[in-house]
Amino acid sequence: ASIDTRNADRDGHLRTGDFFDAESYPTITFVSTDVEAVDEDTLRVAGDLTIKGETRPVTFTGEFGGVAVDPFGTTRAGFSASTTISRKDFGITWNAALEAGGVMVSDKVKIEIDAEFTAPQN
């Protein structure tokens, strides 16, 4: 329900039943089931992605950015990852034909995650 594409009209349409039906399904969740180190910098994170009540297995491929202690003494770790899904697998089928041919919205959607984790403070 908190989607923000920096376009209020588009955000409103994405919240409707045409796309995410945010009133009925206000959250999208990912629950990891496995993490595999491919090499020193690359990870694969497998898990279950749930959108609009549909759960499908997906695998994110990512890069571990490292661990550092910030100027305030907090230990932080960075990670970025991405995967591509079929939106139709999650019941998101709305589209519109374009005058020049083709359709407005691709079936393939790339999901990108940039995350930072902090260690608990004592």
Side-chain angles (χ1 to χ4, degrees), residues 18-19 51-52 54 56 85-95 103 105-109:
D18 285 347
F19 288 95
I51 301 173
K52 282 184 75 172
E54 294 287 333
R56 300 276 189 259
I85 63 167
S86 164
R87 66 188 179 89
K88 292 176 185 172
D89 286 348
F90 296 90
I92 303 171
T93 59
W94 181 90
N95 222 328
V103 292
V105 183
S106 171
D107 176 48
K108 298 294 180 193
V109 177

Side-chain angles (χ1 to χ4, degrees), residues 38-91:
V38 176
D39 58 36
E40 190 173 301
D41 296 319
T42 307
L43 297 171
R44 281 197 195 101
V45 181
D48 296 320
L49 178 64
T50 303
I51 301 173
K52 282 184 75 172
E54 294 287 333
T55 301
R56 300 276 189 259
V58 299
T59 300
F60 284 86
T61 300
E63 184 175 304
F64 178 61
V67 177
V69 177
D70 71 17
F72 304 102
T74 303
T75 301
R76 299 178 181 274
F79 178 78
S80 62
S82 66
T83 193
T84 300
I85 63 167
S86 164
R87 66 188 179 89
K88 292 176 185 172
D89 286 348
F90 296 90

